[in-house]
Amino acid sequence: MFTSLDSCFERPDRDINWHNVDVGFNEFVIQQTSEFGAFLFGSVTDELMASYWPTEAAERDDTIIAGLMNSPPKIVFSKTLEKVGSNNTRLVSDNIVEEIQELKRQP
């Protein structure tokens, strides 16, 4: 298993089937998402999240978690992406250090 600089935990070929979603994990997600103001993603994590959470399947199978994953603002840090497809998502390609410093100054 690998951990990339953008915090993506995966096996070769981007396999994440080891990831176990159960009641305990969902409780953890609910608690964690109530304590922050935005998701910070790299391009790979954003593409992974955007491929599932805004879908009808996510809404049907994980209604509460889908709402929590889709509602907060998302900031994607990437020098390779030209645009992001998810709603409520902003792409930062330049001045990344300054952007993070500004985010840290916010309440």
Side-chain angles (χ1 to χ4, degrees), residues 2-10 14 16 18-19 38-54 69-70 74-78 80-81 83-86 89 91:
F2 302 97
T3 304
S4 67
L5 292 175
D6 68 356
S7 301
C8 187
F9 298 90
E10 59 191 29
R14 297 209 165 139
I16 61 167
W18 58 267
H19 182 60
F39 286 107
L40 307 180
F41 293 147
S43 60
V44 173
T45 302
D46 178 61
E47 289 169 352
L48 177 67
M49 297 296 192
S51 72
Y52 178 69
W53 290 113
M69 297 302 287
N70 293 324
K74 288 164 266 318
I75 304 168
V76 179
F77 295 93
S78 175
T80 59
L81 292 178
K83 63 179 183 172
V84 289
S86 299
T89 303
L91 176 63

Side-chain angles (χ1 to χ4, degrees), residues 2 11 14 17 20 37-38 41-42 45 50 52 57 62 78 80 87 97 99 106:
F2 302 97
R11 291 182 175 139
R14 297 209 165 139
N17 69 2
N20 183 29
F41 293 147
T45 302
Y52 178 69
D62 294 301
S78 175
T80 59
N87 290 336
V97 171
E99 182 71 28
Q106 296 178 12

Side-chain angles (χ1 to χ4, degrees), residues 83-96:
K83 63 179 183 172
V84 289
S86 299
N87 290 336
N88 206 18
T89 303
R90 182 168 57 97
L91 176 63
V92 176
S93 299
D94 298 313
N95 304 314
I96 292 173

